[in-house]
Amino acid sequence: IKGRLDFLGGSIAVKGGSGGDDVLVMQDQADDSDNLSRFEAGAFHRNGTFTLTYDNSLDQIELRAGTGDDTIEVRGTESGVHTRILAGHGDDGFYFDSNAAAPNADSVDFVVSTVEIDGQLGNDSALLNDVSDGSADTVTITPTSVGAGTADTFFGTGGALFYRNLASLEVRLGRGGDRVQIEGTAPGTTVTVKADSGNDSFRIDPNGPDDVG
């Protein structure tokens, strides 16, 4: 079943119940326009005309986007709520960036739960922008994830990214002395890692950080 979110205006508040797995799905697959969607902690905004609020009584929030060239911002997430985004058709862009959310402008530290993105069809890209973060972070990049390693500190506590069907993935490090472990990349995905002013280290090894070979 394909739907559209164009009829939504104003705001909606959603709360899950006690027990069970409560999942909120937003269906927009029939929309062929270029939309701007923004996720924040406990809120979803669309095109500046609609706001959805929720809390950690939900287990998962999911967006199923349409056929346009969509811009999807993840400025932050609600702790304990898994975020799933299916980009649909079109050349879509994912942007992980707090975007001037003081005091940590241009940081991914507000991502404090797991996020799953699927570019699906089209020439899709993801940018993870942490340039204002002054801490020394550890980040692991695999063919399916960023920041999901057991010792990783790139995102906020509890945060991790799982991805598929991307043409490009770019990670911009912060000002601290960051450690980057690259264990593999996905076929068809160009991965770029940009260091900043810190004393950073890079290791490319499919065996993980503990291998000494």
Side-chain angles (χ1 to χ4, degrees):
I1 299 175
K2 297 182 177 181
R4 299 178 67 100
L5 298 179
D6 287 346
F7 70 95
L8 294 173
S11 62
I12 297 176
V14 176
K15 284 186 173 292
S18 59
D21 295 326
D22 296 320
V23 178
L24 171 63
V25 177
M26 295 176 287
Q27 303 257 40
D28 200 37
Q29 300 100 313
D31 191 344
D32 60 1
S33 57
D34 302 340
N35 294 300
L36 170 62
S37 299
R38 185 172 81 245
F39 290 86
E40 298 175 346
F44 168 81
H45 308 274
R46 184 175 185 273
N47 294 335
T49 59
F50 169 68
T51 296
L52 170 80
T53 59
Y54 61 96
D55 60 22
N56 61 9
S57 61
L58 290 180
D59 296 283
Q60 177 174 307
I61 181 170
E62 179 174 323
L63 171 65
R64 300 177 182 176
T67 60
D69 298 337
D70 297 315
T71 297
I72 302 170
E73 299 178 352
V74 181
R75 298 191 183 184
T77 62
E78 182 71 13
S79 178
V81 181
H82 177 66
T83 301
R84 185 170 188 248
I85 306 169
L86 307 179
H89 297 246
D91 299 335
D92 308 301
F94 297 92
Y95 298 90
F96 290 73
D97 186 340
S98 57
N99 196 15
N104 296 314
D106 297 319
S107 169
V108 297
D109 287 351
F110 294 98
V111 176
V112 293
S113 58
T114 53
V115 180
E116 175 189 353
I117 61 174
D118 187 343
Q120 296 188 298
L121 300 177
N123 185 35
D124 303 303
S125 63
L127 170 62
L128 283 56
N129 189 14
D130 200 41
V131 297
S132 294
D133 188 355
S135 60
D137 290 332
T138 297
V139 56
T140 303
I141 299 172
T142 79
T144 59
S145 68
V146 178
T150 56
D152 283 2
T153 56
F154 184 61
F155 296 107
T157 302
L161 171 65
F162 300 89
Y163 68 93
R164 66 175 68 89
N165 295 320
L166 294 179
S168 66
L169 170 68
E170 181 174 328
V171 179
R172 296 182 183 175
L173 304 176
R175 302 189 303 269
D178 298 314
R179 180 185 181 192
V180 181
Q181 172 78 22
I182 301 176
E183 298 182 1
T185 58
T189 301
T190 298
V191 176
T192 303
V193 182
K194 292 186 176 181
D196 205 274
S197 56
N199 296 320
D200 304 308
S201 65
F202 297 84
R203 177 183 173 100
I204 300 176
D205 187 344
N207 297 306
D210 297 326
D211 181 70
V212 295

